[in-house]
Amino acid sequence: MKQNIGNTERVIRIVVGLAITSLAFIGPASPWALLGLVPVATGVFGWCPPYAMLGINTCKHKS
């Protein structure tokens, strides 16, 4: 698994994912809020399977 998500996008994914997941505990306690774990996981690992399949890479490469 080669990293294909840049640092800025990783931070955004983690923050948004935690906000969505927090809805399971505060707000409308719906199991759908657990879908927020997906962006958290992709942000933590820095690898997104759909990006890999589509050939998208938002990482900055050092020359």
Side-chain angles (χ1 to χ4, degrees):
M1 292 187 326
K2 186 177 179 183
Q3 186 175 6
N4 62 1
I5 300 175
N7 290 335
T8 304
E9 186 177 353
R10 289 176 75 181
V11 170
I12 292 170
R13 284 177 182 245
I14 291 170
V15 169
V16 170
L18 289 174
I20 294 170
T21 304
S22 72
L23 293 176
F25 304 103
I26 57 169
S30 169
W32 286 101
L34 296 177
L35 283 176
L37 294 176
V38 174
V40 171
T42 58
V44 168
F45 293 116
W47 184 74
C48 180
Y51 275 19
M53 288 188 289
L54 297 172
I56 300 171
N57 190 343
T58 60
C59 287
K60 293 182 180 178
H61 295 287
K62 295 181 181 180
S63 356

